[in-house]
Amino acid sequence: MDTRVEYYNLDRIHNKCKAELNAVAKSVINSGNYVLNTGEFEAEFAAYTGARYCCALNSGTSALHIALKALGIKPGDEVITVSATFQATVAAIKYCGATPVYLDIEADTLCMDTTKLESKITPRTKAILPVHLYGNFCEMGNILTVAHAHNIPIIEDCAQAVGTEWKGQHAGTFGDIGCFSFYPGKGLGALGDAGCIITNDKHYYDIACKLRSWGGEKQSYNYRMSNLQAEFLRVKLKYLDWVIDEKTKVANIYRKFLKDYIYSDPHVQHSFHIYPILTKNRDKIITSLSNQVELKAHYPIPVHRLPAYRTSVSLPITESWAKHTLSLPIYPGVKHTKVIEALNDYTMSFL
């Protein structure tokens, strides 16, 4: 019997709602209607986030791409973002033929260093794309100030931030468009791939809805969310606050027994998609403890160093983050005591 602590396990979440998931699956199958009926999920997720509109899509990557297209991003444009993210953030920019312009991250939050934002603005800057990494919240105040001063729209990458709030306002509602991923391992995870955008701007919403299903006057896409995934998400949305509460309890225990990992503003409700710590010997720890606990690195190579997106830009804090970040298991039912024991038994060097 494998006693290793898995990095992620959905059993406790799905055991709470398995009967409901089975019931909606049967209902959708029997309906004979499998696409273009996601409106109830869209209304419920919009209400959860406090947004006026939600457009359901087939992935978080599609959400980023659709958002950029809705803003009219095209070849020759520049989009300011970070390299400390999953590569989909930058891939979506490249899909539009635009150029990503990278900002470094803050050493304490691991989110965009907004103090350098103004210096990156050029006449070609057509969007700012901050990332709410790991479920933390990117400092939006300065971003909004700079964006408004230059009349530049903001797309928030909330792929890891469903349930994240600042002073009670949900991530994704500060800028023009918020993009979400419902990959199975997310706090609100589909049983397959899914995503969405939220917005308070009906114009952007209408464009997104047309583009997702071959409705645009120009090039459009097959980015629809399936009815089955929408119904699964409707079920799991009812349990999202419980999932975040359970993750928060684990995070507080990790903080008590391990060095505090990264800073978040006291006004931030962190959703703890990922719980990272920074160590000097990350790869050795992962290998040495592999029989006891499954640990991961998110992400060992920053996007600007990946072959498809490689540039010579200097991002020293991002580079350090990529070398040292270590992700701990965090989910309802995780055997956190075993994780802490394994880490404490290993001689670690925290940053």
Side-chain angles (χ1 to χ4, degrees):
M1 179 178 178
D2 186 4
T3 59
R4 183 180 70 156
V5 179
E6 297 173 283
Y7 180 74
Y8 204 74
N9 186 303
L10 293 167
D11 286 354
R12 190 163 175 224
I13 297 172
H14 286 167
N15 285 342
K16 289 181 74 70
C17 57
K18 188 174 292 184
E20 294 170 86
L21 293 172
N22 287 334
V24 297
K26 183 177 180 179
S27 176
V28 172
I29 292 168
N30 290 339
S31 74
N33 182 12
Y34 308 127
V35 294
L36 301 175
N37 191 26
T38 58
E40 289 181 295
F41 166 72
E42 290 168 332
E44 290 169 9
F45 191 72
Y48 181 85
T49 60
R52 292 178 185 170
Y53 307 105
C54 171
C55 177
L57 301 162
N58 62 356
S59 73
T61 306
S62 298
L64 289 161
H65 188 200
I66 285 285
L68 289 160
K69 296 296 288 187
L71 296 183
I73 302 301
K74 62 187 185 304
D77 292 343
E78 294 177 350
V79 178
I80 299 174
T81 190
V82 292
S83 177
T85 182
F86 183 64
Q87 63 181 291
T89 309
V90 177
I93 297 170
K94 301 290 275 186
Y95 291 166
C96 296
T99 300
V101 175
Y102 297 108
L103 275 173
D104 211 344
I105 56 174
E106 296 174 327
D108 52 359
T109 67
L110 306 183
C111 291
M112 180 183 281
D113 181 356
T114 64
T115 64
K116 309 286 177 56
L117 178 58
E118 184 84 43
S119 68
K120 297 293 183 178
I121 302 293
T122 76
R124 294 184 298 277
T125 305
K126 302 303 179 183
I128 302 169
L129 207 172
V131 179
H132 299 303
L133 191 68
Y134 298 152
N136 204 352
F137 185 80
C138 183
E139 197 284 305
M140 293 297 296
N142 194 45
I143 295 174
L144 290 165
T145 298
V146 173
H148 291 163
H150 295 273
N151 196 29
I152 298 170
I154 300 168
I155 297 172
E156 295 176 67
D157 185 339
C158 308
Q160 300 182 7
V162 63
T164 297
E165 297 179 353
W166 185 79
K167 290 187 176 181
Q169 183 174 345
H170 201 286
T173 62
F174 291 81
D176 296 272
I177 303 176
C179 301
F180 292 83
S181 166
F182 304 123
Y183 183 78
K186 300 294 172 63
L188 177 60
L191 274 65
D193 280 307
C196 78
I197 67 156
I198 59 171
T199 183
N200 290 323
D201 189 311
K202 191 173 187 303
H203 175 67
Y204 293 146
Y205 168 73
D206 287 341
I207 293 174
C209 288
K210 288 179 179 179
L211 289 178
R212 71 175 170 179
S213 189
W214 307 112
E217 294 179 3
K218 297 181 179 180
Q219 185 181 37
S220 50
Y221 309 93
N222 181 7
Y223 282 174
R224 299 182 299 267
M225 180 188 291
S226 73
N227 295 354
L228 187 59
Q229 294 302 340
E231 291 304 309
F232 286 151
L233 288 167
R234 289 184 68 206
V235 170
K236 295 185 70 175
L237 182 59
K238 294 184 290 185
Y239 297 89
L240 176 57
D241 288 342
W242 169 79
V243 171
I244 294 173
D245 286 345
E246 291 294 300
K247 286 188 165 194
T248 301
K249 291 175 185 176
V250 176
N252 289 337
I253 293 170
Y254 283 157
R255 280 175 167 161
K256 181 178 179 180
F257 290 97
L258 301 168
K259 183 178 179 179
D260 199 7
Y261 71 120
I262 55 172
Y263 172 81
S264 62
D265 187 293
H267 297 296
V268 173
Q269 176 182 294
H270 202 305
S271 59
F272 295 106
H273 169 58
I274 289 172
Y275 191 101
I277 57 176
L278 300 177
T279 73
K280 293 180 180 178
N281 47 0
R282 188 262 315 284
D283 295 337
K284 187 175 180 181
I285 293 170
I286 291 175
T287 301
S288 298
L289 298 181
S290 60
N291 291 330
Q292 298 167 261
V293 56
E294 184 180 11
L295 302 166
K296 292 184 179 291
H298 296 95
Y299 301 92
I301 304 175
V303 178
H304 74 289
R305 294 296 184 226
L306 292 172
Y309 313 105
R310 184 174 289 126
T311 71
S312 59
V313 65
S314 175
L315 302 170
I317 300 175
T318 296
E319 298 273 6
S320 177
W321 155 83
K323 291 177 182 177
H324 301 298
T325 185
L326 176 68
S327 304
L328 309 188
I330 184 165
Y331 51 88
V334 67
K335 296 177 181 177
H336 50 75
T337 302
K338 288 189 174 183
V339 176
I340 293 167
E341 288 175 352
L343 291 172
N344 283 338
D345 287 344
Y346 188 90
T347 302
M348 295 180 63
S349 297
F350 291 100
L351 293 181

